[in-house]
Amino acid sequence: MIRSRGSFGHEQGCMTQLQHMAREGLQQLIDALRDRGYRCIGPKVKDGAIVFDTVESAEEFPRGIRDQQEPGRYALTESSEDKYFDWANGPQALRPLTFAPQETLWKVQRDGGGKLTFREVAPAMPPTAVIGARACDVAALKIHDQVFLERDPADPYYAARRKALFVVAVNCSSPASTCFCASTGDGPHVSSGFDMALTELDDGFTVQLASDAAQSIAAALPLVDATDEQHFAVGHQRSEAIRAQTRSVPGRNLRQALFDNLHHGRWKDVAERCLSCGNCTSVCPTCFCHREEQDARLEGDAADHVRMWDSCFTREHSYMHGFVLRETTAQRYRQWLTHKFGSWHDQFGRSGCVGCGRCIAWCPVGIDVTEELQHICGEGSSESIPSP
Amino acid sequence: MNPYLPHDAVIVDRVQESTTIFTLRLAFSDPVQQKRYAFAPGQFNMVYLHGVGEVAISIISDPERESLYDHTIRVVGRVTRGLAQLKKGDHLGIRGPFGRGWPLLEGEGRDVMIVTGGLGCAPVVAVINYILHRRERFGRLTIMQGVKHAEDLLWRSRYEAWARMPNTQVIIAADAAGKNWPWHVGRVTDLFDQVALDPGNTVAMMCGPEGMMRAVVGNLLGRGMSADDIYLSMERNMQCAVGHCGHCQFGPHFICKDGPVFSYREVQPLLGEAGF
């Protein structure tokens, strides 16, 4: 049931025949996953947003719901379509599932003689199937695999969670105005990195199986070969979802353009609007910064070593023995953008942005990263000021 | 192996070097682990103070001494202030070694020039001792150390002893000196014309404030050295030490994992750029 680390790639099964199941098949999918011991995580409406949470029934899915996203704005409305997945995304991708917002790495106990005994705390992650991951979410998961697994040493905490994860992706039919995954090359349809991929059509779902675990689940589903019309409908939906995207990045590799413009006037301009609140880094599915802290017990002999998500927009992020390296918001915004879109290419062979648009929608002042990039890296971007 | 998990180590000896600087001589409690422990000069450990936290500290002892390893620590923050209170026989946590150390193999058969500034000389002490214990493998050794105040000079007797070693030149300067200061008053970079530099056959290694290192690099490049032969030990906020936590990201590098020692060519594009 739990796949070995070797199957993270999933590439081998992607060319399998497209199959089809009726809309009611979604409940059977949940049942089949639960029967095989998976905890199911799916989209739900909570506090006015779509969030991933434990689901037992397809009834809990946001059927007939759309999300309206704009810079600094997120709202749910009723959809004219009776679909389960007629929305783009919520504030969090899969990141909290595999990279815990806060977790204890180890515990330490001091004995009477002062000797310290360190004990690793292994994450307790039951086999977990997430239904409804978007192409951008899956692309971000693959990026975190690079960060935490594919470099030496691997992160044992991420590895344990990742190993327990079964990904049911759902191709995106209804991008939000903030989405730009087509321009980053990560969506709107998934291409790899999932176990099973669904496309929701008017008459149910097409189903693509990409792993042995998915083949085994599929045996319990009412699948038939997809018709030519259904194949066509999937392709049509994809083209429409691309066409619906109005935002874009001004290039897939902006590394040179960014580092050529470290003193561009726009850094100061954006810093006048940016609150340095770190919302963008909290919702970004690829941000991986974390800090470590000690949680000492009152009795003094025991302590927990805890790590939690961190943000390069805080002062403490760049603290070093007595001073702060990035005191200004301009320096912090530039750090974030030049890493995400610039030096990420050196470190991981691609940009760190998957085009999900969350940093645009969840920014309290509506800073649009695509617009900032356009100013800094687009044509005529050599306007220069002294260093921020 | 969980790279985040420290191991118990005991303080075998403690030396107060100055009012704010002290050296801890450590050994892992587990003798098997101590025997297995191997590091290179320029690498660092994460030193854990019980209940307070971890801090990255370079290892300054000789890598071929199997029974012990030394950390020289300056009191600058919460963890180091607490570490300063520890005594011989006290325990702490250690994980490491981490990072990439000094290019000692590249230096063999060549002249080595070591330049340090401020109180930042600890990471290169390991190199100086390493070379002096294997003197025949290296050419001329030049040690340049600049401090703000004369009393900041740590290990004055060691510098004096090093100056008496064969084929070794020691140049010291203090911005502000008191009586009995036998060396230069001013910046150490004032004294470059005293150094007979063979630019094609020298490896330079330096640590200290980035402004000082950039001034030295400029001088060395001007005298014909290659950016590939000049090495710098870089510092940033380090928490995980394995390139995962993101704090020490510096352009294409994670200082903790890809460094802390870099050739100038590797760090040149962003070195001196405020905010990186």
Side-chain angles (χ1 to χ4, degrees):
Chain A
M1 179 113 10
I2 298 175
R3 290 160 306 115
S4 72
R5 189 179 156 191
S7 64
F8 283 153
H10 308 279
E11 259 76 17
Q12 72 281 6
C14 290
M15 298 307 292
T16 48
Q17 172 67 34
L18 213 51
Q19 295 182 284
H20 184 270
M21 72 178 184
R23 184 154 281 135
E24 296 68 42
L26 184 60
Q27 183 61 51
Q28 284 162 281
L29 173 62
I30 296 170
D31 294 341
L33 288 163
R34 285 165 53 83
D35 286 349
R36 279 162 181 77
Y38 287 102
R39 166 182 68 139
C40 282
I41 302 278
K44 274 185 182 175
V45 173
K46 204 173 183 177
D47 299 331
I50 288 169
V51 299
F52 283 118
D53 198 357
T54 309
V55 287
E56 295 180 4
S57 158
E59 295 294 308
E60 300 173 75
F61 281 52
R63 192 169 185 171
I65 300 277
R66 284 215 63 170
D67 51 343
Q68 289 196 332
Q69 302 193 46
E70 285 157 35
R73 183 169 182 272
Y74 183 97
L76 298 181
T77 57
E78 277 186 26
S79 166
S80 56
E81 301 221 35
D82 181 32
K83 286 180 173 175
Y84 287 109
F85 298 97
D86 196 29
W87 43 271
N89 58 28
Q92 285 294 344
L94 309 181
R95 175 163 84 140
L97 293 173
T98 44
F99 172 36
Q102 179 168 333
E103 68 183 318
T104 300
L105 301 183
W106 44 262
K107 289 170 178 290
V108 60
Q109 181 73 43
R110 182 167 59 187
D111 71 14
K115 188 172 185 219
L116 304 175
T117 302
F118 297 91
R119 192 165 52 79
E120 178 183 23
V121 179
M125 169 101 159
T128 298
V130 59
I131 302 171
R134 295 309 197 181
C136 52
D137 302 336
V138 174
L141 188 65
K142 288 166 66 181
I143 286 176
H144 270 195
D145 284 352
Q146 287 185 293
V147 173
F148 290 117
L149 288 181
E150 292 163 18
R151 288 157 68 95
D152 183 38
D155 184 288
Y157 305 91
Y158 181 90
R161 291 196 167 82
R162 182 68 178 90
K163 215 186 229 179
L165 196 66
F166 181 96
V167 178
V168 180
V170 178
N171 287 322
C172 202
S173 60
S174 314
S177 89
T178 44
C179 291
F180 53 99
C181 64
S183 76
T184 66
D186 295 299
H189 280 203
V190 285
S191 54
S192 68
F194 56 90
D195 293 278
M196 188 182 282
L198 310 180
T199 305
E200 188 172 28
L201 304 175
D202 292 338
D203 61 353
F205 297 94
T206 62
V207 180
Q208 190 183 346
L209 306 172
S211 71
D212 292 343
Q215 294 283 356
S216 137
I217 298 291
L221 300 179
L223 298 178
V224 294
D225 286 347
T227 63
D228 288 349
E229 288 75 17
Q230 286 159 343
H231 271 103
F232 175 79
V234 169
H236 180 70
Q237 190 193 82
R238 180 173 177 275
S239 332
E240 289 298 307
I242 292 171
R243 202 180 358 225
Q245 296 189 15
T246 52
R247 287 186 159 78
S248 64
V249 282
R252 289 206 185 153
N253 189 341
L254 301 172
R255 181 187 170 283
Q256 198 60 43
L258 280 166
F259 284 101
D260 282 348
N261 285 292
L262 291 180
H263 302 146
H264 196 285
R266 191 72 182 185
W267 300 115
K268 204 170 161 225
D269 182 277
V270 67
E272 278 165 15
R273 289 169 279 137
C274 174
L275 306 177
S276 203
C277 69
N279 260 22
C280 48
T281 58
S282 297
V283 297
C284 175
T286 70
C287 274
F288 58 82
C289 282
H290 56 271
R291 68 178 187 275
E292 297 181 30
E293 282 182 12
Q294 279 280 300
D295 186 3
R297 308 275 176 72
L298 279 177
E299 60 269 33
D301 284 329
D304 292 354
H305 196 68
V306 181
R307 79 169 170 195
M308 55 206 78
W309 290 359
D310 201 357
S311 168
C312 53
F313 282 89
T314 67
R315 282 186 98 238
E316 294 75 17
H317 189 278
S318 67
Y319 172 86
M320 44 187 290
H321 52 69
F323 74 101
V324 171
L325 200 71
R326 285 183 280 279
E327 280 284 11
T328 69
T329 300
Q331 288 173 336
R332 294 180 204 164
Y333 193 87
R334 189 180 66 173
Q335 164 69 18
W336 183 60
L337 214 67
T338 55
H339 186 216
K340 186 79 61 191
F341 291 89
S343 37
W344 208 290
H345 286 276
D346 301 306
Q347 295 175 324
F348 304 107
R350 60 156 295 167
S351 151
C353 176
V354 295
C356 71
R358 287 182 175 93
C359 60
I360 305 173
W362 296 95
C363 174
V365 295
I367 293 169
D368 176 350
V369 70
T370 63
E371 192 186 334
E372 299 311 317
L373 286 167
Q374 188 60 48
H375 278 278
I376 295 160
C377 307
E379 281 175 45
S381 61
S382 53
E383 174 198 354
S384 187
I385 55 149
S387 186
Chain B
M1 254 282 279
N2 184 337
Y4 284 96
L5 196 65
H7 302 274
D8 183 70
V10 68
I11 299 172
V12 179
D13 200 4
R14 183 190 186 284
V15 180
Q16 190 72 39
E17 310 280 5
S18 77
T19 49
T20 58
I21 298 174
F22 58 99
T23 297
L24 297 179
R25 182 154 289 181
L26 301 170
F28 286 109
S29 303
D30 176 0
V32 178
Q33 185 172 23
Q34 179 59 44
K35 185 120 185 92
R36 220 175 27 215
Y37 182 74
F39 66 90
Q43 283 193 300
F44 65 94
N45 281 330
M46 293 304 290
V47 179
Y48 166 72
L49 175 66
H50 182 60
V52 182
E54 291 184 308
V55 63
I57 308 279
S58 63
I59 313 161
I60 67 152
S61 45
D62 195 290
E64 284 170 28
R65 193 175 61 184
E66 286 181 354
S67 58
L68 297 162
Y69 51 94
D70 296 352
H71 286 299
T72 292
I73 301 167
R74 180 160 65 102
V75 176
V76 281
R78 216 161 47 95
V79 178
T80 49
R81 204 173 302 128
L83 287 170
Q85 308 303 315
L86 297 182
K87 301 179 296 294
K88 186 174 165 179
D90 285 345
H91 292 251
L92 37 72
I94 295 286
R95 57 188 180 99
F98 295 111
R100 178 176 66 171
W102 298 103
L104 290 166
L105 282 179
E106 289 91 322
E108 289 204 10
R110 306 172 77 184
D111 294 347
V112 177
M113 181 172 185
I114 288 171
V115 189
T116 62
L119 297 169
C121 65
V124 295
V125 168
V127 177
I128 296 171
N129 284 325
Y130 183 93
I131 291 172
L132 290 176
H133 287 134
R134 297 156 186 80
R135 195 67 195 86
E136 71 291 348
R137 294 196 215 161
F138 297 87
R140 185 173 52 233
L141 174 64
T142 307
I143 300 167
M144 300 183 81
Q145 161 79 36
V147 290
K148 263 201 194 110
H149 304 284
E151 55 269 30
D152 292 340
L153 181 68
L154 207 57
W155 301 317
R156 187 163 168 164
S157 59
R158 286 199 210 181
Y159 283 95
E160 287 163 352
W162 291 335
R164 292 192 292 270
M165 298 292 281
N167 206 13
T168 303
Q169 184 181 11
V170 173
I171 294 172
I172 298 176
D175 291 347
K179 286 181 283 181
N180 303 325
W181 177 255
W183 296 290
H184 178 70
V185 178
R187 297 193 174 272
V188 76
T189 41
D190 301 342
L191 304 174
F192 267 108
D193 48 10
Q194 293 183 16
V195 180
L197 183 71
D198 179 359
N201 190 38
T202 300
V203 177
M205 306 183 198
M206 59 185 79
C207 66
E210 283 176 25
M212 181 281 295
M213 293 200 287
R214 279 165 45 224
V216 174
V217 167
N219 188 293
L220 296 178
L221 293 174
R223 295 179 68 179
M225 275 193 72
S226 157
D228 297 311
D229 288 332
I230 302 171
Y231 290 84
L232 302 82
S233 183
M234 299 282 292
E235 287 185 82
R236 284 296 178 271
N237 184 347
M238 294 184 199
Q239 300 194 12
C240 75
V242 289
H244 291 165
C245 80
H247 293 91
C248 70
Q249 186 252 335
F250 181 75
H253 310 294
F254 292 110
I255 302 282
C256 71
K257 183 166 184 278
D258 305 320
V261 174
F262 292 95
S263 75
Y264 176 64
R265 191 177 300 285
E266 292 173 299
V267 292
Q268 182 271 329
L270 285 179
L271 194 69
E273 190 66 67
F276 283 99

mmCIF file of all heavy atoms in Angstrom, chain A residues 17-18 20 199 201-203 206 225-237:
data_model
loop_
_atom_site.group_PDB
_atom_site.id
_atom_site.type_symbol
_atom_site.label_atom_id
_atom_site.label_comp_id
_atom_site.label_asym_id
_atom_site.label_seq_id
_atom_site.Cartn_x
_atom_site.Cartn_y
_atom_site.Cartn_z
ATOM 1 N N GLN A 17 -4.044 4.294 -21.217
ATOM 2 C CA GLN A 17 -5.314 4.592 -21.862
ATOM 3 C C GLN A 17 -6.203 5.404 -20.912
ATOM 4 O O GLN A 17 -6.263 5.143 -19.724
ATOM 5 C CB GLN A 17 -5.975 3.246 -22.210
ATOM 6 C CG GLN A 17 -7.399 3.333 -22.709
ATOM 7 C CD GLN A 17 -7.482 4.019 -24.067
ATOM 8 O OE1 GLN A 17 -6.576 3.877 -24.890
ATOM 9 N NE2 GLN A 17 -8.546 4.747 -24.291
ATOM 10 N N LEU A 18 -6.854 6.436 -21.464
ATOM 11 C CA LEU A 18 -7.784 7.225 -20.669
ATOM 12 C C LEU A 18 -9.051 6.404 -20.438
ATOM 13 O O LEU A 18 -9.586 5.805 -21.367
ATOM 14 C CB LEU A 18 -8.106 8.495 -21.451
ATOM 15 C CG LEU A 18 -8.378 9.784 -20.693
ATOM 16 C CD1 LEU A 18 -7.292 10.088 -19.684
ATOM 17 C CD2 LEU A 18 -8.523 10.922 -21.684
ATOM 18 N N HIS A 20 -12.988 6.205 -18.209
ATOM 19 C CA HIS A 20 -14.082 7.106 -17.840
ATOM 20 C C HIS A 20 -14.900 6.489 -16.722
ATOM 21 O O HIS A 20 -15.080 5.273 -16.671
ATOM 22 C CB HIS A 20 -14.980 7.380 -19.050
ATOM 23 C CG HIS A 20 -16.058 8.377 -18.757
ATOM 24 N ND1 HIS A 20 -17.311 8.019 -18.275
ATOM 25 C CD2 HIS A 20 -16.071 9.733 -18.853
ATOM 26 C CE1 HIS A 20 -18.024 9.123 -18.086
ATOM 27 N NE2 HIS A 20 -17.303 10.170 -18.434
ATOM 28 N N THR A 199 -10.213 14.194 -14.962
ATOM 29 C CA THR A 199 -10.696 15.412 -15.608
ATOM 30 C C THR A 199 -12.213 15.380 -15.498
ATOM 31 O O THR A 199 -12.844 14.389 -15.899
ATOM 32 C CB THR A 199 -10.290 15.454 -17.096
ATOM 33 O OG1 THR A 199 -8.880 15.293 -17.186
ATOM 34 C CG2 THR A 199 -10.696 16.772 -17.737
ATOM 35 N N LEU A 201 -15.735 16.150 -16.620
ATOM 36 C CA LEU A 201 -16.491 16.585 -17.799
ATOM 37 C C LEU A 201 -17.969 16.692 -17.417
ATOM 38 O O LEU A 201 -18.343 16.401 -16.277
ATOM 39 C CB LEU A 201 -16.300 15.568 -18.932
ATOM 40 C CG LEU A 201 -14.847 15.286 -19.346
ATOM 41 C CD1 LEU A 201 -14.800 14.167 -20.383
ATOM 42 C CD2 LEU A 201 -14.187 16.556 -19.889
ATOM 43 N N ASP A 202 -18.802 17.064 -18.375
ATOM 44 C CA ASP A 202 -20.231 17.201 -18.077
ATOM 45 C C ASP A 202 -20.852 15.862 -17.688
ATOM 46 O O ASP A 202 -21.817 15.807 -16.944
ATOM 47 C CB ASP A 202 -20.973 17.769 -19.297
ATOM 48 C CG ASP A 202 -20.574 19.221 -19.551
ATOM 49 O OD1 ASP A 202 -20.103 19.858 -18.581
ATOM 50 O OD2 ASP A 202 -20.702 19.699 -20.686
ATOM 51 N N ASP A 203 -20.276 14.762 -18.209
ATOM 52 C CA ASP A 203 -20.886 13.452 -17.956
ATOM 53 C C ASP A 203 -20.064 12.584 -17.001
ATOM 54 O O ASP A 203 -20.138 11.363 -17.046
ATOM 55 C CB ASP A 203 -21.075 12.712 -19.289
ATOM 56 C CG ASP A 203 -19.746 12.471 -19.997
ATOM 57 O OD1 ASP A 203 -18.717 12.995 -19.520
ATOM 58 O OD2 ASP A 203 -19.742 11.741 -21.017
ATOM 59 N N THR A 206 -12.948 11.598 -16.697
ATOM 60 C CA THR A 206 -11.970 10.707 -17.307
ATOM 61 C C THR A 206 -10.908 10.429 -16.255
ATOM 62 O O THR A 206 -10.649 11.250 -15.384
ATOM 63 C CB THR A 206 -11.308 11.303 -18.559
ATOM 64 O OG1 THR A 206 -10.613 12.483 -18.180
ATOM 65 C CG2 THR A 206 -12.319 11.583 -19.644
ATOM 66 N N ASP A 225 -13.560 2.309 -21.061
ATOM 67 C CA ASP A 225 -12.664 3.089 -21.910
ATOM 68 C C ASP A 225 -13.336 4.408 -22.301
ATOM 69 O O ASP A 225 -14.530 4.438 -22.609
ATOM 70 C CB ASP A 225 -12.322 2.307 -23.187
ATOM 71 C CG ASP A 225 -11.348 1.182 -22.868
ATOM 72 O OD1 ASP A 225 -10.782 1.182 -21.754
ATOM 73 O OD2 ASP A 225 -11.178 0.290 -23.724
ATOM 74 N N ALA A 226 -12.576 5.472 -22.285
ATOM 75 C CA ALA A 226 -13.133 6.767 -22.676
ATOM 76 C C ALA A 226 -13.409 6.763 -24.183
ATOM 77 O O ALA A 226 -12.663 6.157 -24.953
ATOM 78 C CB ALA A 226 -12.162 7.886 -22.313
ATOM 79 N N THR A 227 -14.463 7.470 -24.570
ATOM 80 C CA THR A 227 -14.813 7.569 -25.991
ATOM 81 C C THR A 227 -13.959 8.647 -26.665
ATOM 82 O O THR A 227 -13.319 9.453 -25.986
ATOM 83 C CB THR A 227 -16.293 7.971 -26.140
ATOM 84 O OG1 THR A 227 -16.449 9.275 -25.554
ATOM 85 C CG2 THR A 227 -17.210 6.971 -25.443
ATOM 86 N N ASP A 228 -14.001 8.658 -27.983
ATOM 87 C CA ASP A 228 -13.285 9.703 -28.719
ATOM 88 C C ASP A 228 -13.784 11.092 -28.313
ATOM 89 O O ASP A 228 -13.000 12.040 -28.183
ATOM 90 C CB ASP A 228 -13.486 9.532 -30.233
ATOM 91 C CG ASP A 228 -12.715 8.327 -30.741
ATOM 92 O OD1 ASP A 228 -11.892 7.785 -29.953
ATOM 93 O OD2 ASP A 228 -12.944 7.928 -31.899
ATOM 94 N N GLU A 229 -15.099 11.200 -28.103
ATOM 95 C CA GLU A 229 -15.673 12.488 -27.721
ATOM 96 C C GLU A 229 -15.132 12.939 -26.368
ATOM 97 O O GLU A 229 -14.846 14.122 -26.154
ATOM 98 C CB GLU A 229 -17.211 12.400 -27.640
ATOM 99 C CG GLU A 229 -17.919 12.296 -28.981
ATOM 100 C CD GLU A 229 -17.790 10.922 -29.614
ATOM 101 O OE1 GLU A 229 -17.435 9.955 -28.891
ATOM 102 O OE2 GLU A 229 -18.014 10.812 -30.838
ATOM 103 N N GLN A 230 -14.982 11.971 -25.467
ATOM 104 C CA GLN A 230 -14.469 12.322 -24.128
ATOM 105 C C GLN A 230 -12.996 12.726 -24.206
ATOM 106 O O GLN A 230 -12.577 13.676 -23.559
ATOM 107 C CB GLN A 230 -14.686 11.156 -23.157
ATOM 108 C CG GLN A 230 -16.159 11.029 -22.759
ATOM 109 C CD GLN A 230 -16.535 9.658 -22.223
ATOM 110 O OE1 GLN A 230 -15.813 8.674 -22.407
ATOM 111 N NE2 GLN A 230 -17.695 9.586 -21.585
ATOM 112 N N HIS A 231 -12.237 12.018 -25.043
ATOM 113 C CA HIS A 231 -10.849 12.441 -25.276
ATOM 114 C C HIS A 231 -10.809 13.878 -25.789
ATOM 115 O O HIS A 231 -10.028 14.705 -25.328
ATOM 116 C CB HIS A 231 -10.174 11.533 -26.321
ATOM 117 C CG HIS A 231 -9.504 10.339 -25.727
ATOM 118 N ND1 HIS A 231 -10.052 9.085 -25.779
ATOM 119 C CD2 HIS A 231 -8.335 10.204 -25.070
ATOM 120 C CE1 HIS A 231 -9.240 8.225 -25.180
ATOM 121 N NE2 HIS A 231 -8.191 8.878 -24.739
ATOM 122 N N PHE A 232 -11.654 14.148 -26.736
ATOM 123 C CA PHE A 232 -11.698 15.477 -27.330
ATOM 124 C C PHE A 232 -12.087 16.524 -26.282
ATOM 125 O O PHE A 232 -11.507 17.607 -26.211
ATOM 126 C CB PHE A 232 -12.691 15.495 -28.505
ATOM 127 C CG PHE A 232 -12.867 16.858 -29.090
ATOM 128 C CD1 PHE A 232 -11.913 17.389 -29.968
ATOM 129 C CD2 PHE A 232 -13.966 17.657 -28.742
ATOM 130 C CE1 PHE A 232 -12.069 18.667 -30.488
ATOM 131 C CE2 PHE A 232 -14.105 18.933 -29.257
ATOM 132 C CZ PHE A 232 -13.166 19.441 -30.129
ATOM 133 N N ALA A 233 -13.079 16.141 -25.443
ATOM 134 C CA ALA A 233 -13.563 17.092 -24.429
ATOM 135 C C ALA A 233 -12.451 17.447 -23.442
ATOM 136 O O ALA A 233 -12.347 18.589 -22.985
ATOM 137 C CB ALA A 233 -14.768 16.502 -23.690
ATOM 138 N N VAL A 234 -11.597 16.467 -23.133
ATOM 139 C CA VAL A 234 -10.476 16.738 -22.208
ATOM 140 C C VAL A 234 -9.532 17.761 -22.843
ATOM 141 O O VAL A 234 -9.145 18.752 -22.212
ATOM 142 C CB VAL A 234 -9.720 15.429 -21.867
ATOM 143 C CG1 VAL A 234 -8.420 15.745 -21.130
ATOM 144 C CG2 VAL A 234 -10.602 14.507 -21.036
ATOM 145 N N GLY A 235 -9.198 17.531 -24.111
ATOM 146 C CA GLY A 235 -8.297 18.449 -24.811
ATOM 147 C C GLY A 235 -8.898 19.833 -24.937
ATOM 148 O O GLY A 235 -8.207 20.854 -24.771
ATOM 149 N N HIS A 236 -10.202 19.857 -25.216
ATOM 150 C CA HIS A 236 -10.890 21.140 -25.373
ATOM 151 C C HIS A 236 -10.887 21.906 -24.050
ATOM 152 O O HIS A 236 -10.619 23.110 -24.003
ATOM 153 C CB HIS A 236 -12.324 20.882 -25.839
ATOM 154 C CG HIS A 236 -13.110 22.143 -26.020
ATOM 155 N ND1 HIS A 236 -12.854 23.037 -27.046
ATOM 156 C CD2 HIS A 236 -14.130 22.675 -25.295
ATOM 157 C CE1 HIS A 236 -13.691 24.065 -26.940
ATOM 158 N NE2 HIS A 236 -14.473 23.865 -25.881
ATOM 159 N N GLN A 237 -11.151 21.163 -22.968
ATOM 160 C CA GLN A 237 -11.176 21.808 -21.653
ATOM 161 C C GLN A 237 -9.811 22.417 -21.335
ATOM 162 O O GLN A 237 -9.706 23.511 -20.795
ATOM 163 C CB GLN A 237 -11.544 20.762 -20.583
ATOM 164 C CG GLN A 237 -11.824 21.385 -19.237
ATOM 165 C CD GLN A 237 -11.867 20.338 -18.141
ATOM 166 O OE1 GLN A 237 -10.834 19.922 -17.629
ATOM 167 N NE2 GLN A 237 -13.075 19.901 -17.803
#
